[in-house]
Each structure stands twice: as C-alpha cells, then as structure tokens.
Amino acid sequence: MSEHNHYPIIQPSSEEEDRIVIPDQNGDESLFDVLFYFDVPETDKSYVVVTPVEEESDSTDEDEEVFAFRYEGEDDEFKLFPIETDEEWDIVEEMINTFSEEE
C-alpha cells in the first residue's frame, strides 16, 4: 500500500507569488511562499506545501525547508491543520518528491 497515485499539482501563477502568513504557537507570524496545492479525491482532503520566505541572501543552499498542511476553505477564507497520520505524510512526501523532480 506504499504506492500512491500522483495527484494534480496546482501551482500559483508565475505573475504573482502566492504567500500566506502562518502564526506559530506563540502567536508570532511568519511569511511563507506557497510552492503548490493538491487535492486527494479519495479522502476529500486538500493540502498546501509552503517554504519560509527568506531574507535576501547570496546563499544558494539546495536544502530548502518545506512545510505541509491540510487546509479547508478557499481563497482568503481557509484554515490550516497539522498533518497527523503516517498515511497523509506518505502522500505529502511523494507529492513533494514529484514536485522536486518536475522543477
């Protein structure tokens, strides 16, 4: 059961970067770039994969920090939820790997 379908990846348009603000447990807000969204029809759940917005630097570090969340809602009216099951993480990891290969 380790093989998953590859779900369509929805990327923000190239003209405008899609960014979201996510508060941490202390209420401090951080800005994130959205890498892509995807839906899993079998579970009727949607996910977003983001990376922190870094200050401009000369670093060309290949290991970019990536976070994923389940979300509900649309446009500016959505809520993020932590991914809690191993099955969900397996799907998310596979989609991140697919995204990385396509880039």
Side-chain angles (χ1 to χ4, degrees):
M1 190 156 164
S2 64
E3 192 163 318
H4 297 285
N5 294 324
H6 289 276
Y7 305 104
I9 291 175
I10 303 162
Q11 288 183 273
S13 68
S14 58
E15 293 102 40
E16 57 183 63
E17 292 182 26
D18 200 357
R19 290 187 166 174
I20 58 175
V21 174
I22 302 174
D24 64 15
Q25 293 117 344
N26 301 324
D28 297 327
E29 295 181 338
S30 298
L31 187 62
F32 291 83
D33 283 325
V34 174
L35 295 178
F36 63 92
Y37 304 89
F38 70 97
D39 298 321
V40 179
E42 292 87 351
T43 61
D44 200 28
K45 293 182 179 176
S46 300
Y47 300 89
V48 61
V49 178
V50 299
T51 186
V53 172
E54 300 284 335
E55 294 297 320
E56 292 298 319
S57 69
D58 296 329
S59 172
T60 57
D61 189 9
E62 288 291 320
D63 294 330
E64 190 173 35
E65 198 171 12
V66 175
F67 299 92
F69 299 92
R70 182 173 57 83
Y71 75 91
E72 294 176 3
E74 294 181 12
D75 300 323
D76 292 336
E77 298 295 320
F78 68 91
K79 292 183 182 180
L80 298 177
F81 300 92
I83 296 172
E84 298 173 339
T85 68
D86 288 341
E87 182 179 68
E88 281 183 297
W89 273 118
D90 289 344
I91 293 170
V92 168
E93 284 180 29
E94 187 169 323
M95 293 303 294
I96 290 170
N97 291 337
T98 300
F99 176 78
S100 296
E101 290 170 7
E102 291 176 1
E103 287 291 298

